Amino acid sequence: MFDYGILLYPGANRVYADAAAGLLRAELAVFGEALPTPPAEIGERRIGGVTYVTFRTEGALSEEDVALLSNLSSLYALFEFGGELLRPLEIRPLDTLDSDLLTIQKYPGKTNELFTKLLLNVTLLSRDRPGLTGPRRPHVVDPLCGRGTTLNQAMMYGLDATGLDVDKRDFEAYERFLKTWLRQKRIKHTADTGPLRRHKHRLGQRLEVEYGLDKQRWKAGDTRRVTFFNADTLTTDELLKAGSADVVVADAPYGVQHGSHQPDELTRSPRDLLAAAVPGWTRVLKAGGALGLSWNTHVVKRDEIAAILERAGLEVRTGGPFEGFAHRVDQAILRDLIVARKPA
Ligand SMILES: C[S@@+](CC[C@H](N)C(=O)[O-])C[C@H]1O[C@@H](n2cnc3c(N)ncnc32)[C@H](O)[C@@H]1O
């Protein structure tokens, strides 16, 4: 047996308070779906006054295994234990761009970037072919994308991403942010904006960005895409082709007021919104793809969300780590996540 320990990113405790290690343990168990030797005996240990998430594997972790685990959302460092000594393993996260892409934007109602990465990870790993990337680059859709935290995390992974949000201010803020960021980082790109129409009706606005991860790839035509439709999420299956998304990932409205800028209809319980939107989201999902949702359990119960997903024909992942992600955000929000797969 081989023993390992993960040191948590220090900022994770600020985000999740006491829940950081528990969330990492659940996330690690889901990562096991993509590892040849899944982690066993996942636990916690205090060493030198610091908490580590510990696990054992039958075989030693390979370089590819370590590369995959490097993307755990709150991993700071990974060690192999040998007796009393900790041997650091070289981590190689996928990150293709500077991390300030995720941290510069600050606004009320932003989904924390560590949690966004966690939700995207467990959804990508719940597909029938679990993995964060793959031979065919996954397309990530966030149909309630706000100011684009999921889109930015997908960019960090070098994936294509599409978001929808009905809030015009979110759209305009994201457009301004992304164009400025790409310009300041001298990343080769094109950005096209304009009205969004379907069947002669104006639905809202659209932003279509194509960029190269570096100059060579841009020159060779090896580009990535980010698209933002400023439109109601109920139009998702009008705007996107059936079966075009590998994952659909969304942080649902919390049913509480985040600052005063959001109109009331956007802050009510998400139950009705999800019941109306999930069938359309499911149509744009590929067979074998996965849908991941986070929400405030104070306003909708897990069973109700599961029933909405099952009615749309999705298979909800249950048991073990999939029921170990609930955590307190603040007095009004107890957040949980649920993942479901579209049968292949
Ligand atoms: C919890 S926020 C998501 C925040 C986002 N993850 C971020 O970090 O910016 C939920 C989002 O759902 C959007 N929303 C609510 N109802 C919608 C609808 N019918 N169509 C599209 N977006 C909607 C809100 O405008 C809000 O931005």
Side-chain angles (χ1 to χ4, degrees):
M1 287 302 242
F2 293 80
D3 288 308
Y4 299 94
I6 299 170
L7 185 59
L8 276 92
Y9 172 64
N13 277 321
R14 258 201 318 278
V15 178
Y16 300 124
D18 292 341
L23 285 172
L24 180 58
R25 285 166 55 180
E27 188 184 7
L28 176 62
V30 178
F31 268 69
E33 309 233 335
L35 290 174
T37 54
E41 297 177 44
I42 298 174
E44 282 170 43
R45 224 164 103 188
R46 299 273 299 171
I47 304 170
V50 184
T51 300
Y52 288 74
V53 167
T54 54
F55 62 100
R56 309 189 103 178
T57 54
E58 247 172 53
L61 290 175
S62 67
E63 269 187 33
E64 291 93 77
D65 299 342
V66 173
L68 178 74
L69 292 175
S70 304
N71 300 295
L72 280 159
S73 60
S74 44
L75 176 142
Y76 191 51
L78 174 62
F79 298 92
E80 186 179 348
F81 292 166
E84 284 301 298
L85 298 179
L86 274 60
R87 186 171 72 87
L89 298 178
E90 186 80 26
I91 55 167
R92 286 190 292 129
L94 276 171
D95 302 1
T96 56
L97 299 164
D98 291 349
S99 62
D100 63 356
L101 173 62
L102 285 155
T103 52
I104 289 176
Q105 288 192 106
K106 297 202 185 342
Y107 49 93
K110 177 176 179 176
T111 311
N112 171 272
E113 54 270 13
L114 284 187
F115 180 73
T116 300
K117 186 170 178 181
L118 169 73
L119 180 61
L120 180 60
N121 282 346
V122 297
T123 311
L124 285 166
L125 292 166
S126 295
R127 296 178 295 150
D128 65 348
R129 290 187 189 167
L132 299 180
T133 51
R136 282 184 43 246
R137 198 164 62 230
H139 175 211
V140 175
V141 172
D142 181 348
L144 301 166
C145 71
R147 299 190 187 184
T149 316
T150 309
L151 308 184
N152 294 341
Q153 182 55 53
M155 288 176 74
M156 286 297 281
Y157 279 171
L159 308 180
D160 293 325
T162 304
L164 285 92
D165 203 287
V166 75
D167 191 321
K168 192 166 170 241
R169 278 156 304 191
D170 281 350
F171 175 86
E172 286 168 355
Y174 186 69
E175 179 190 359
R176 254 192 325 271
F177 162 73
L178 187 60
K179 284 180 172 173
T180 309
W181 190 86
L182 289 166
R183 221 179 20 251
Q184 285 176 347
K185 298 284 172 180
R186 298 175 182 276
I187 293 175
K188 295 273 184 204
H189 68 280
T190 57
D192 186 23
T193 35
L196 174 65
R197 294 182 212 281
R198 276 298 176 275
H199 312 301
K200 296 193 183 150
H201 288 295
R202 187 177 165 150
L203 297 178
Q205 308 177 74
R206 63 174 175 83
L207 165 69
E208 288 170 272
V209 173
E210 188 174 358
Y211 64 98
L213 290 171
D214 53 47
K215 286 195 180 106
Q216 288 70 27
R217 283 188 262 196
W218 173 258
K219 259 194 194 155
D222 177 8
T223 57
R224 304 288 184 273
R225 286 171 181 278
V226 186
T227 306
F228 190 144
F229 295 127
N230 173 213
D232 195 304
T233 197
L234 298 181
T235 63
T236 302
D237 59 340
E238 283 179 52
L239 296 171
L240 295 175
K241 282 201 195 103
S244 61
D246 295 271
V247 289
V248 172
V249 178
D251 184 30
Y254 283 80
V256 292
Q257 198 81 19
H258 285 295
S260 55
H261 73 290
Q262 290 185 328
D264 277 338
E265 66 269 22
L266 300 183
T267 56
R268 268 193 254 125
S269 160
R271 184 189 299 105
D272 297 345
L273 175 66
L274 293 176
V278 166
W281 297 350
T282 305
R283 278 191 283 280
V284 305
L285 196 58
K286 263 185 199 131
L291 182 145
L293 265 182
S294 55
W295 82 101
N296 180 6
T297 60
H298 285 320
V299 293
V300 198
K301 297 286 159 245
R302 187 178 184 87
D303 289 353
E304 294 178 78
I305 305 270
I308 290 171
L309 299 179
E310 278 161 4
R311 264 203 306 279
L314 298 169
E315 291 167 352
V316 175
R317 309 289 313 261
T318 54
F322 291 99
E323 286 169 23
F325 288 108
H327 61 282
R328 189 174 172 279
V329 176
D330 58 32
Q331 270 190 334
I333 300 174
L334 181 68
R335 183 165 56 191
D336 200 357
L337 68 81
I338 193 165
V339 185
R341 192 188 282 164
K342 184 164 171 176

